[in-house]
Amino acid sequence: MRINKNILPFCVICKSATSAKMACKITAAFIAFVAIVVIANFGHVSCSPAIATYDPLGACIENCAQCKKMFGAWFEGPLCAQSCIEFKGSLIPECENLASISRFLNKL
């Protein structure tokens, strides 16, 4: 028995006229879905950072306050805040990094 290839449906994506037409339909539907999702999201993509209004001076002063809470009388909070203002927040103290807060620690 000969099968006439002109009778079988021809899948444009898979370029086959075999019995795998269900797989071809699923592939075509998936490609269409992905194309729609990509096109729909073009207007919503932005490359702005999560914190658009990052203020290094504010972060520096907040870290000084946090270190003052952690270390109490051993930490010179006003000196730390003055340093933040003087260097415009470029040297942010990290309470867990002794190298960054050593100049603000006193011996009592």
Side-chain angles (χ1 to χ4, degrees), residues 38-83:
V38 168
I39 290 170
N41 284 324
F42 268 140
H44 302 290
V45 175
S46 66
C47 296
S48 61
I51 303 172
T53 58
Y54 176 71
D55 179 28
L57 181 62
C60 183
I61 292 175
E62 285 179 21
N63 280 14
C64 288
Q66 182 66 32
C67 293
K68 180 67 177 173
K69 287 179 187 175
M70 286 176 68
F71 295 107
W74 288 289
F75 188 79
E76 297 289 338
L79 183 62
C80 180
Q82 184 180 3
S83 172

Side-chain angles (χ1 to χ4, degrees), residues 26-46:
I26 292 172
T27 303
F30 179 74
I31 290 173
F33 173 75
V34 169
I36 290 170
V37 168
V38 168
I39 290 170
N41 284 324
F42 268 140
H44 302 290
V45 175
S46 66

